[in-house]
Amino acid sequence: MSAEEWQVVAFTLRVSAFAILLILPPGLAAAWLLARRRWAGKSLVETLITLPLVMPPVATGLLLLKLLGRRGPLGGLLHDRFDLDVIFTWRAVVAAMAVMSFPLLVRGARVAFEGVDPRLEQIARTLGAGETRVLLTITLPLARNGILGGVLLAFARALGEFGATILVAGNIPGRTSTLSLSIYQLVQLGKDDDAFRLLAVAVVIAFAAVWVSERFLARRDAP
Amino acid sequence: MRIGLRHIRLPLHDFILEVDVEITAGRAGIFGPSGAGKTTLLDLVAGLRRAPSASIRLGDRMLTDTARRLTVPARARRIGYVPQDLALFPHLSVRGNLLYGARGGGEAGGRFAFDHVVGLLDLGPLVERGIAGLSGGEKQRVALARALLSAPELLLLDEPLSGLDRPRRDRVLAYLRQVHEELQVPLLYVSHHASEMIALCEEVVVLDRGRVVAQGAPGALLGSAPETARFSPPGTLPLVG
């Protein structure tokens, strides 16, 4: 593989990991709230979170474009206040990956939280533990395998993200080119051999992520 | 210590839990058939569940008073709870479980010190082991010791002998009597076995379909009762026949 191709692989891994780290805190919070609390508007939030999973990725990309563009509500704010541009930068790649992976992370973590026997948390409270201690010492450790499974699935989804990314980040070599975008471009240019080399790398990474994820999910009930 | 369970009213699936009693004995029991509301009552005492109406007092301490919108959270009640499924933390060792709520003797002057409780319940050889490999009786003792190490002012025991064979039941009963005598912790013991009530308790409250149908000394109330409580036809005592 050429230096440029390795650069694409490294960039894709880096932005995917960054996107997952970014959505981890809100994703865990949302999953916990959905699993453990009853509140008004829960079904609505649940549906909104799931939307990127079922909507055409290009449609999600279009929404992100409107939101994060210089004249968009969030993009305008970032540009005016912090002199930050998002669209057609690596930040747009991260944003697209984050939004598209969020539902998978939340779903995985939610199932993991729901798998923790609430009685254990209750008994921890009778032993003097406050809510934070219960979360850190009982809920999170027992949900750990399920959460890690969800994180890796979300990571695999981020690696393969295409539709939303091409709309908000374009395909700028050396700046926003990910594995998926590069494979698409190489096929367009008739460079099938190069495309298949990147495809092989993508398959290996995705296979490893999903395989490890499945291992964690299988161990979910046996901490 | 006096336990006041007054004006409790909580609609459940197919009946209303309505309890209004004062318990004075140090070893008291709540007896009744499965599904009579016994565990729900313990959950209310422990602060794990709320009722629209309840006034729960432990000695001088008011724990719940819905009329005054007072609810002491479970973590601050100082009530040890050994639930029916024991709820041992599976990701922690025996030591990790025991130390989870340990208050190290504290104000009780070493009564609830780790070594003392571990010795009392013969847990020494088990301390470094994991939870998964323990027998049923060992798990019972770990759950009991974990609750005791939190230096509770009241110990709630929900069917603690279920799943144990006769010799182990007798052994755990002996431990419970010893715990009460040595640590001076009042016990509130839930069961649907008359023999356990008679063997352990000084006072028993009989619960059927959420209502208190009798209260008194277990020997007098349950002496001629069948071993296992069962649902009664409406309007009759649960123990007759």
Side-chain angles (χ1 to χ4, degrees):
Chain A
M1 287 218 313
S2 67
E4 287 79 21
E5 286 167 342
W6 279 120
Q7 192 273 330
V8 166
V9 173
F11 174 75
T12 308
L13 287 171
R14 221 167 37 233
V15 284
S16 301
F18 189 61
I20 300 305
L21 281 178
L22 205 64
I23 60 173
L24 197 55
L28 289 183
W32 186 82
L33 285 171
L34 290 172
R36 280 288 188 261
R37 291 280 185 269
R38 271 188 254 171
W39 35 284
K42 184 171 163 178
S43 302
L44 185 69
V45 171
E46 224 169 344
T47 310
L48 281 173
I49 287 174
T50 309
L51 267 187
L53 207 59
V54 290
M55 264 175 47
V58 174
T60 307
L62 188 60
L63 284 174
L64 281 176
L65 194 62
K66 290 290 169 201
L67 181 74
L68 297 172
R70 270 193 194 176
R71 279 179 287 176
L74 191 56
L77 190 79
L78 289 170
H79 181 262
D80 297 344
R81 287 272 178 90
F82 305 105
D83 201 22
L84 274 181
D85 280 322
V86 178
I87 298 303
F88 299 120
T89 70
W90 65 270
R91 296 182 194 98
V93 182
V94 170
M97 288 177 165
V99 169
M100 299 304 290
S101 310
F102 193 69
L104 280 177
L105 176 73
V106 172
R107 286 187 156 237
R110 180 186 177 169
V111 172
F113 284 135
E114 283 172 345
V116 177
D117 182 359
R119 203 64 172 159
L120 298 175
E121 296 166 340
Q122 290 183 330
I123 293 304
R125 289 185 194 107
T126 69
L127 292 167
E131 291 306 310
T132 308
R133 186 169 171 225
V134 170
L135 182 70
L136 293 177
T137 59
I138 304 294
T139 316
L140 279 176
L142 287 173
R144 183 191 57 195
N145 287 335
I147 290 172
L148 285 173
V151 163
L152 282 167
L153 265 187
F155 178 69
R157 175 68 188 83
L159 283 173
E161 171 35 42
F162 178 82
T165 312
I166 197 147
L167 225 72
V168 293
N171 184 16
I172 307 166
R175 285 183 58 194
T176 64
S177 266
T178 63
L179 265 172
S180 313
L181 299 177
S182 296
I183 290 170
Y184 176 74
Q185 190 186 31
L186 290 169
V187 172
Q188 292 292 94
L189 295 172
K191 297 180 175 175
D192 284 13
D193 288 349
D194 296 343
F196 273 104
R197 258 202 316 278
L198 285 185
L199 172 72
V201 175
V203 167
V204 168
I205 298 172
F207 183 88
V210 175
W211 189 74
V212 177
S213 162
E214 289 297 323
R215 302 274 296 180
F216 278 123
L217 291 174
R219 281 165 41 192
R220 190 168 48 198
D221 299 326
Chain B
M1 183 181 291
R2 184 177 286 269
I3 306 165
L5 307 173
R6 313 305 304 261
H7 317 301
I8 291 175
R9 188 180 156 82
L10 172 65
L12 296 174
H13 187 59
D14 50 1
F15 57 79
I16 297 172
L17 179 69
E18 285 182 291
V19 174
D20 198 341
V21 291
E22 287 273 335
I23 296 169
T24 52
R27 292 196 311 264
I30 299 172
F31 178 75
S34 296
K38 305 186 299 292
T39 299
T40 305
L41 190 57
L42 287 197
D43 281 0
L44 287 171
V45 175
L48 300 179
R49 194 166 175 160
R50 291 186 181 201
S53 165
S55 167
I56 298 169
R57 181 189 286 277
L58 181 60
D60 297 331
R61 274 204 307 146
M62 187 61 94
L63 301 177
T64 302
D65 189 356
T66 51
R68 288 194 291 142
R69 297 187 169 206
L70 168 82
T71 307
V72 175
R75 67 171 186 278
R77 291 199 172 205
R78 304 287 298 257
I79 290 180
Y81 195 170
V82 181
Q84 192 170 0
D85 60 1
L86 304 179
L88 293 174
F89 306 135
H91 58 303
L92 301 179
S93 65
V94 170
R95 181 185 289 278
N97 270 273
L98 295 178
L99 290 176
Y100 192 85
R103 289 189 165 98
E107 65 198 55
R111 256 194 310 161
F112 299 106
F114 184 83
D115 290 341
H116 185 211
V117 173
V118 164
L120 189 66
L121 291 168
D122 292 331
L123 289 173
L126 306 180
V127 164
E128 302 308 330
R129 285 174 58 181
I131 293 300
L134 300 181
S135 70
E138 289 168 342
K139 283 181 182 172
Q140 295 280 2
R141 282 186 282 142
V142 173
L144 181 58
R146 180 181 64 177
L148 288 170
L149 285 165
S150 68
E153 291 175 10
L154 171 68
L155 189 59
L156 306 177
L157 301 150
D158 189 4
E159 307 266 10
L161 306 186
S162 61
L164 297 184
D165 56 26
R166 193 73 199 214
R168 286 199 178 86
R169 281 176 178 229
D170 292 342
R171 223 173 137 215
V172 175
L173 272 176
Y175 277 122
L176 289 176
R177 271 193 296 268
Q178 202 176 347
V179 159
H180 176 71
E181 280 159 22
E182 287 207 22
L183 303 182
Q184 299 293 306
V185 188
L187 309 178
L188 191 53
Y189 184 95
V190 155
S191 177
H192 62 277
H193 289 284
S195 61
E196 292 171 21
M197 288 287 150
I198 293 168
L200 185 72
C201 299
E202 301 156 309
E203 180 182 4
V204 64
V205 171
V206 182
L207 204 62
D208 188 29
R209 288 192 177 86
R211 286 171 188 267
V212 174
V213 292
Q215 182 177 9
L221 275 180
L222 310 177
S224 59
E227 165 55 16
T228 306
R230 55 178 181 265
F231 271 121
S232 59
T236 63
L237 279 175
L239 312 169
V240 179

